[in-house]
Amino acid sequence: MEIRYLELKGMSCAGCANKIQKAIENVTGVAECQVNFAIGQATVKFNSQKTNLHKIQESVTNIGFEAQLLQETINLLDKDRENHQIERKMINKVIFGGTISVILIIGSLPMMTGLNLSWIPSWLGNPLIQLILTTLVMIWCGKSFFFAAIKGLKNRYVDMNTLVAIGTGAAYLYSLFPTFSPIFFTRQGLNPDVYYEAAATIITLILLGKLLEHRARKQTSAAIQKLMGLQAKTARVIRDGKEIDIMIEKVKIGDLIVVRPGEKIPVDGKIKEGFSTVDESMVTGESVPVEKKPGDEVIGVTINQTGSFKFEAARVGKDTVLAQIIKLVQQAQASKAPIQKLADMVISWFVPVVMGVAIATFLIWINLTGNLTMSLITTVSVLIIACPCALGLATPTSVMVGTGKGAENGILIKGANSLEVTHKIETIILDKTGTLTKGRPTVTDYITTQGTTNENEIKLLKIAAAVERKSEHPLATAIVEYAKGQGIKFPLPEPERFEAISGMGVQGIVFDRLVQIGTDRWMNELGIEITNFLNYQDKLEADRKTTAWIAIDGEIEGIFAIADTLKPSSKNVVQTLQKMGIEVVMLTGDNRRTAEAIGAEVGISKIFAEVRPDQKAETVKNLQLEKKKRRNDHQIVAMVGDGINDAPALAQADVGIAIGTGTDVAIASSDITLISGDLTGIITAIKLSRATIKNIRQNLFFAFIYNTLGIPIAAGILYPLTGWLLNPIIAGGAMAFSSVSVVTNALRLRNFKPKAKV
């Protein structure tokens, strides 16, 4: 299956988005399609053996819209220029239409009020003058609505444009009769009133609403625009022994780049020379500068502070961390949350039903009253006030702001679905090493059976380090680093038949001897006697230290004690999650005694210890089903981890949260990534999810209530009680500002406080 992102053009309302989605889904080979009206994009998942991008684009073209492959990199200058041109045209039309509408309304005041207003020039009320002025508005300002409505009819669908075109067209066409045949109306006992001002003003108000909506929607994507604007423009590289400044696009992998104090780091890489501190807050959300030394990685767009250094470019262009963040945020913003399904269902039949209500309104009033004018006013009001745009914007605008706000603070949320599910989390599983702890364990104790006589301790340490050097496990790294600190000379002997036994340990042959280093459980399974060292183990593990046993040719020769310190925020994060009503569980492959000691320190009582990597996903599944007996659905479980062995568990969980300082595999398997590795990001992500879902519900409530109340009022339901009818002009204003209200409410999420108080 392939996934492609399309940029759509020609959409004017949520109904258009719904139509495009159905057209793409009907293409043979398309597995899934999501159209996001708020940003004008479609996410299409399809089988490339059965269809291709051209056929998908053709399906969109066939119903009167355009679909282009979304560019991986967006030129901000071109995008800004395009937005400015669109906005400028809309402003000009609103000014022109507004000016004429004011003139028409003033000229119609005597007719609307029934008063003799001598201060108004009589020519302003002349139907022919009003016809000419209104025609100008209809042709220039309203032509997009009429062309789109005609296009929709040709392609057998109706949308907001249809409602606007029929509503304003009806007012305009009706006014032509009293303009040219006023005597006919007089003979029927009717006033030859015209409603040109309604047609012109409605179009102007809807355009004004679209202008305000356009401006507001630009603000919803401000976060991603800000990220794109962070990219450095140039880089200082060393070529042929000289420092030269080149455009960022010309930087190649392997280039040696010089960065001075206060400068922006242009691309990702690894420091070769120099020391400094770097402000990484724009990527990770962490305000505290990070110390950097040779061998450390640096991220493009972060700011160098105190020192100068040289680094080797490792990732450039679309492969940099920033480019990947932008891509993930774009994909998240293009996705749909499950909560949107109800709105989509309503939108699919909304416009046809409204047209049916409008026809019924006209027939009911014409039969009850015989008053053509009243029947027309109510019908036009129904057509104009009903618009599904607010429903279509309710969810995606909030998702855009929410995911953007997360990215600003080092939290990458990969999709609207992840954002929605996060607010439902009931249980959070925390991995120990690298999640609760710093993930940089060190050897604290090293004990051998033969002491230090004849340098046995050093020889054994060299053999152990030779085997552990082949492993990437944090405990193995700790042993190798300890060996270096003890003066062991490198390079070490190359072990033969090296093997890492998942969750147990490592083994290999060094100097023709079988070396096995791992857990006491593994030693027992191998049948190796460990009784003599159990007293040491009890004492060490009581001090929260992990033990690794060393066996040579099937006999215990020594034991390592390794400690990993807690992250400063771990205890407070656990306590805060518990106060939020979330159960916190620890899952680790470490021994139970060490796990329980860590758990006691941070406040976790439910612990799964000595769990092999292949068992972690099963543990997550069991927790999900733990409460199934009491309800139909499973328990919503989140898993937080950072290692390769956490990837299956992250994938199994309802929400997988990866520590960004961990492995690429773990990050790829997750739904949310905490770039900085700070656990407070978990709380921020949950609170952001809750705030976003609350905002979406507010938007949907407003949109549903607006249409539920607005349409009956427009149809004249209050007339028998109050004698009052909704003026089509007011209906047009209400419709225009409904969408603006929804987007404005979504923008309140920008005030979300990113830092969780723990």
Side-chain angles (χ1 to χ4, degrees):
M1 288 288 180
E2 290 188 23
I3 298 178
R4 290 289 183 271
Y5 300 89
L6 300 176
E7 185 176 5
L8 304 172
K9 293 187 178 180
M11 290 195 300
S12 58
C13 72
C16 302
N18 196 270
K19 189 68 181 178
I20 292 173
Q21 182 166 314
K22 287 183 178 179
I24 294 176
E25 286 174 342
N26 288 334
V27 176
T28 303
V30 172
E32 185 181 351
C33 174
Q34 291 184 347
V35 175
N36 188 318
F37 169 57
I39 55 175
Q41 288 181 21
T43 305
V44 188
K45 186 177 182 181
F46 62 96
N47 186 335
S48 57
Q49 301 297 318
K50 295 181 179 180
T51 189
N52 54 49
L53 199 57
H54 176 71
K55 290 181 181 178
I56 293 169
Q57 290 173 296
E58 193 174 45
S59 71
V60 177
T61 305
N62 288 340
I63 59 170
F65 300 94
E66 293 180 44
Q68 299 174 350
L69 188 63
L70 186 69
Q71 299 177 8
E72 288 191 354
T73 56
I74 299 174
N75 187 310
L76 285 179
L77 190 61
D78 290 344
K79 197 70 176 176
D80 285 343
R81 191 181 293 117
E82 182 182 344
N83 282 328
H84 180 73
Q85 289 173 349
I86 293 171
E87 197 169 294
R88 188 72 254 169
K89 287 180 181 178
M90 294 175 78
I91 290 172
N92 290 337
K93 287 182 179 181
V94 168
I95 292 173
F96 179 78
T99 303
I100 290 182
S101 295
V102 170
I103 294 171
L104 291 172
I105 289 172
I106 292 173
S108 300
L109 282 176
M111 180 269 290
M112 289 190 285
T113 62
L115 301 174
N116 183 18
L117 304 174
S118 58
W119 58 272
I120 299 176
S122 59
W123 62 269
L124 281 182
N126 187 306
L128 286 173
I129 297 294
Q130 291 198 344
L131 170 62
I132 293 169
L133 293 175
T134 303
T135 302
L136 293 174
V137 174
M138 299 283 276
I139 290 174
W140 189 46
C141 302
K143 66 180 180 181
S144 59
F145 299 115
F146 293 99
F147 285 162
I150 293 169
K151 178 182 70 176
L153 291 174
K154 284 182 179 178
N155 292 286
R156 292 176 294 180
Y157 71 87
V158 290
D159 59 9
M160 182 207 76
N161 297 297
T162 312
L163 300 179
V164 174
I166 293 176
T168 56
Y172 180 84
L173 292 173
Y174 171 85
S175 300
L176 292 177
F177 291 100
T179 299
F180 294 106
S181 300
I183 296 175
F184 171 81
F185 283 81
T186 304
R187 287 175 180 173
Q188 301 297 319
L190 299 172
N191 292 323
D193 296 332
V194 295
Y195 294 92
Y196 292 121
E197 84 288 345
T201 306
I202 287 168
I203 285 175
T204 303
L205 285 172
I206 293 173
L207 281 175
L208 176 61
K210 288 289 181 186
L211 172 62
L212 296 175
E213 179 190 316
H214 175 78
R215 286 184 168 179
R217 281 163 62 181
K218 277 200 307 181
Q219 294 178 56
T220 63
S221 58
I224 198 167
Q225 296 291 327
K226 181 180 177 182
L227 285 171
M228 292 170 130
L230 289 174
Q231 180 66 63
K233 303 295 185 293
T234 61
R236 185 177 295 108
V237 302
I238 298 176
R239 289 184 179 172
D240 300 325
K242 297 180 180 179
E243 291 185 14
I244 58 172
D245 290 333
I246 62 174
M247 298 301 293
I248 193 72
E249 296 84 5
K250 295 183 179 179
V251 175
K252 300 175 182 177
I253 294 175
D255 274 343
L256 196 61
I257 301 172
V258 180
V259 183
R260 294 169 183 161
E263 292 184 339
K264 186 178 289 187
I265 298 170
V267 295
D268 301 353
K270 185 174 289 187
I271 294 180
K272 293 296 182 182
E273 297 177 25
F275 298 85
S276 186
T277 56
V278 176
D279 178 4
E280 297 182 339
S281 60
M282 61 287 299
V283 174
T284 66
E286 284 302 308
S287 57
V288 180
V290 182
E291 292 185 359
K292 298 290 182 179
K293 61 184 183 301
D296 288 343
E297 292 190 351
V298 289
I299 305 171
V301 314
T302 56
I303 307 296
N304 180 36
Q305 290 194 323
T306 55
S308 297
F309 61 85
K310 297 176 183 177
F311 76 97
E312 184 180 320
R315 291 181 295 273
V316 300
K318 64 180 183 180
D319 296 322
T320 62
V321 169
L322 178 67
Q324 292 301 309
I325 290 173
I326 291 172
K327 186 176 180 180
L328 284 171
V329 175
Q330 284 178 326
Q331 291 173 6
Q333 293 185 343
S335 63
K336 275 188 179 180
I339 199 172
Q340 176 71 13
K341 289 179 181 178
L342 176 61
D344 286 344
M345 183 181 70
V346 173
I347 290 167
S348 65
W349 52 259
F350 188 85
V351 174
V353 167
V354 168
M355 292 185 68
V357 172
I359 294 170
T361 298
F362 181 84
L363 294 175
I364 289 170
W365 286 117
I366 198 71
N367 282 313
L368 288 176
T369 67
N371 189 326
L372 182 62
T373 301
M374 178 181 174
S375 303
L376 177 71
I377 289 173
T378 52
T379 301
V380 171
S381 294
V382 168
L383 289 168
I384 296 303
I385 203 169
C387 175
C389 291
L391 282 172
L393 291 168
T395 299
T397 48
S398 297
V399 169
M400 287 172 69
V401 180
T403 52
K405 194 70 182 176
E408 280 182 15
N409 296 281
I411 301 170
L412 293 185
I413 303 168
K414 292 189 178 178
N417 183 66
S418 303
L419 184 65
E420 180 174 338
V421 176
T422 299
H423 91 283
K424 302 177 183 177
I425 291 173
E426 299 166 271
T427 298
I428 284 187
I429 304 171
L430 299 175
D431 175 49
K432 181 178 75 70
T433 306
T435 301
L436 282 169
T437 63
K438 292 180 179 178
R440 294 190 295 273
T442 56
V443 173
T444 59
D445 300 86
Y446 170 48
I447 306 165
T448 67
T449 56
Q450 299 182 31
T452 57
T453 309
N454 300 321
E455 297 185 347
N456 283 319
E457 183 180 19
I458 296 299
K459 184 177 180 181
L460 181 62
L461 180 59
K462 183 174 183 179
I463 293 173
V467 177
E468 292 286 15
R469 189 171 57 88
K470 302 290 288 184
S471 172
E472 295 181 355
H473 195 281
L475 298 184
T477 303
I479 292 171
V480 173
E481 290 299 317
Y482 177 75
K484 289 179 180 178
Q486 295 300 309
I488 300 295
K489 293 183 179 180
F490 283 65
L492 297 170
E494 192 70 22
E496 299 176 12
R497 288 187 283 180
F498 172 82
E499 184 181 5
I501 292 82
S502 183
M504 295 295 188
V506 294
Q507 65 181 14
I509 295 175
V510 181
F511 301 136
D512 296 324
R513 303 187 72 184
L514 175 61
V515 183
Q516 294 169 307
I517 309 171
T519 65
D520 58 340
R521 185 159 48 108
W522 188 36
M523 297 298 152
N524 285 327
E525 288 184 9
L526 293 172
I528 298 174
E529 180 62 46
I530 63 172
T531 308
N532 293 338
F533 265 29
L534 286 178
N535 289 335
Y536 288 112
Q537 182 189 39
D538 291 343
K539 181 178 181 302
L540 294 169
E541 290 182 357
D543 292 334
R544 293 197 296 108
K545 296 177 181 179
T546 300
T547 54
W549 299 74
I550 313 166
I552 305 292
D553 292 332
E555 291 186 9
I556 291 297
E557 294 289 343
I559 187 172
F560 289 110
I562 302 168
D564 186 7
T565 56
L566 284 170
K567 290 180 178 177
S569 61
S570 293
K571 183 176 181 178
N572 287 332
V573 167
V574 170
Q575 292 176 347
T576 303
L577 288 170
Q578 291 168 340
K579 288 177 183 177
M580 292 168 68
I582 298 172
E583 181 183 34
V584 183
V585 176
M586 184 197 297
L587 179 63
T588 179
D590 209 343
N591 66 79
R592 175 159 295 278
R593 186 174 296 180
T594 301
E596 287 178 348
I598 293 282
E601 188 168 346
V602 298
I604 299 176
S605 58
K606 193 169 187 176
I607 297 169
F608 294 90
E610 300 178 4
V611 180
R612 296 196 307 267
D614 58 318
Q615 297 173 327
K616 285 188 175 182
E618 188 65 27
T619 304
V620 174
K621 188 175 181 180
N622 290 337
L623 280 171
Q624 289 172 321
L625 300 175
E626 196 172 76
K627 296 181 182 178
K628 193 172 179 64
K629 293 179 181 178
R630 281 178 275 167
R631 60 186 181 184
N632 294 326
D633 200 7
H634 69 266
Q635 181 174 215
I636 303 300
V637 175
M639 170 71 192
V640 185
D642 75 324
I644 292 175
N645 58 7
D646 296 323
L650 290 169
Q652 172 64 40
D654 297 282
V655 181
I657 303 176
I659 303 297
T661 49
T663 66
D664 291 341
V665 176
I667 294 171
S669 305
S670 67
D671 302 297
I672 297 174
T673 300
L674 310 179
I675 301 175
S676 69
D678 187 349
L679 287 184
T680 56
I682 300 172
I683 297 169
T684 305
I686 294 172
K687 288 186 174 180
L688 178 61
S689 172
R690 291 179 177 180
T692 304
I693 296 304
K694 181 180 178 182
N695 192 272
I696 288 172
R697 286 172 177 162
Q698 291 169 348
N699 286 346
L700 288 173
F701 175 80
F702 177 82
F704 276 117
I705 288 296
Y706 165 81
N707 284 295
T708 302
L709 297 178
I711 293 175
I713 291 172
I717 195 171
L718 298 178
Y719 182 75
L721 298 173
T722 64
W724 177 79
L725 290 175
L726 184 67
N727 190 303
I729 293 175
I730 298 175
M735 189 274 270
F737 285 96
S738 64
S739 298
V740 176
S741 300
V742 165
V743 179
T744 303
N745 186 53
L747 289 174
R748 291 192 308 109
L749 277 172
R750 295 194 302 173
N751 298 323
F752 174 82
K753 300 300 180 184
K755 289 297 178 185
K757 293 181 180 180
V758 298

